[in-house]
Amino acid sequence: MDNLSLGKQIETKPSPFNGFKVKRNRYVAVAVIVLLAIVILLYIFINANNSQVTNITPSTNQLIDSYKSKIPELEGKVELNPNDSTAVHDLAIALYATGDITGAKEKYLIESNLNPSNPVTFNNLGNAYRDTGDNNKAIEAYKKSIELDKTQVNAYLNLANLYIYTTNQFDLGINTLLAALESNPNNSEVMYMQIGSSYLVQNKKDLAKDAYNKVLEFNPNNSGAINALKNL
């Protein structure tokens, strides 16, 4: 029976339960007010959390500002000691961090000549080439980094990602990750995770599942692998 028909029945024939019905309506009104209060509190809580997240940005800006403020001093050190590979390296990092990719690339090139046995320098140089669109030179630099030190996980990942997502050389990318897996067994979780993501991009779901299951063998609590398998 709807509320309208109930209202008509009350008018035509008063009921001894009218007082109860009024009280019940009051209770309903109170319940609605309480629910609204809870919703408002949740809204305030969520907004407070969101404001905390956005506070990450100023710290990043502060880091960039810190690098910017150091550039004149670092440039002075390089000018005084142009053959000091450490000084050149520090300046290159500051330039890259502040968005001067071309300037950083020039310094990394100088550093690679001053210290040709440093694998990190060639990985960084590869990043600078990649970010300026020179993919072939980026590939060469990453390969040089790996040649100097086969435990350079970042160089393997950077090279694989360039193959898979930029130059569309998927097989080369997977082979790079497999080579990284062989040379860096202690980083198997990271590598299998990347392999799974790469197969997923190609819609090779069975191979992706195999890779994600491998991730869970090394870390049963890896949320990325767990969620990926749920969606497959």
Side-chain angles (χ1 to χ4, degrees):
M1 184 181 294
D2 59 24
N3 290 334
L4 182 58
S5 60
L6 179 61
K8 288 179 179 178
Q9 199 173 45
I10 291 172
E11 289 176 2
T12 57
K13 187 178 180 181
S15 169
F17 296 103
N18 280 350
F20 171 76
K21 294 179 186 297
V22 171
K23 288 181 180 179
R24 184 187 63 183
N25 290 339
R26 286 177 181 171
Y27 292 146
V28 171
V30 171
V32 170
I33 292 171
V34 171
L35 285 172
L36 286 173
I38 292 172
V39 170
I40 292 170
L41 288 172
L42 284 173
Y43 177 79
I44 293 171
F45 176 75
I46 290 170
N47 278 337
N49 283 344
N50 286 341
S51 66
Q52 290 175 358
V53 171
T54 56
N55 285 337
I56 294 174
T57 302
S59 64
T60 304
N61 290 336
Q62 288 172 5
L63 183 61
I64 293 172
D65 289 340
S66 175
Y67 274 119
K68 282 183 179 178
S69 66
K70 291 178 181 178
I71 286 176
E73 177 187 350
L74 295 172
E75 288 177 333
K77 288 182 178 180
V78 171
E79 187 175 351
L80 287 174
N81 299 287
N83 294 324
D84 184 345
S85 62
T86 301
V88 175
H89 174 81
D90 291 343
L91 177 56
I93 289 177
L95 292 172
Y96 190 91
T98 54
D100 185 357
I101 308 302
T102 300
K105 180 174 65 177
E106 293 173 354
K107 299 307 176 187
Y108 282 131
L109 275 170
I110 293 171
E111 184 190 359
S112 68
N113 290 323
L114 293 172
N115 190 4
S117 61
N118 188 345
V120 175
T121 300
F122 285 97
N123 179 63
N124 292 343
L125 179 59
N127 290 341
Y129 277 129
R130 176 200 62 200
D131 293 349
T132 54
D134 198 337
N135 295 327
N136 290 332
K137 287 188 177 180
I139 290 170
E140 290 178 8
Y142 291 140
K143 285 183 175 181
K144 182 65 176 178
S145 176
I146 294 168
E147 178 187 325
L148 291 169
D149 182 2
K150 294 188 183 301
T151 66
Q152 280 292 307
V153 173
N154 287 338
Y156 280 110
L157 291 175
N158 288 331
L159 178 58
N161 287 337
L162 188 62
Y163 279 139
I164 294 168
Y165 300 106
T166 304
T167 64
N168 296 317
Q169 296 172 287
F170 181 77
D171 290 341
L172 288 176
I174 289 294
N175 288 338
T176 300
L177 292 172
L178 292 174
L181 189 61
E182 184 178 352
S183 300
N184 299 272
N186 292 334
N187 291 288
S188 296
E189 180 184 349
V190 174
M191 293 306 169
Y192 276 117
M193 193 70 195
Q194 190 68 22
I195 290 170
S197 300
S198 300
Y199 278 129
L200 200 56
V201 168
Q202 294 290 310
N203 203 32
K204 298 180 178 180
K205 294 184 178 181
D206 289 339
L207 292 173
K209 283 182 182 179
D210 291 342
Y212 289 132
N213 281 321
K214 276 288 187 181
V215 172
L216 297 180
E217 288 181 14
F218 293 97
N219 179 8
N221 298 317
N222 187 301
S223 59
I226 293 171
N227 291 331
L229 286 169
K230 285 180 180 178
N231 294 325
L232 285 173

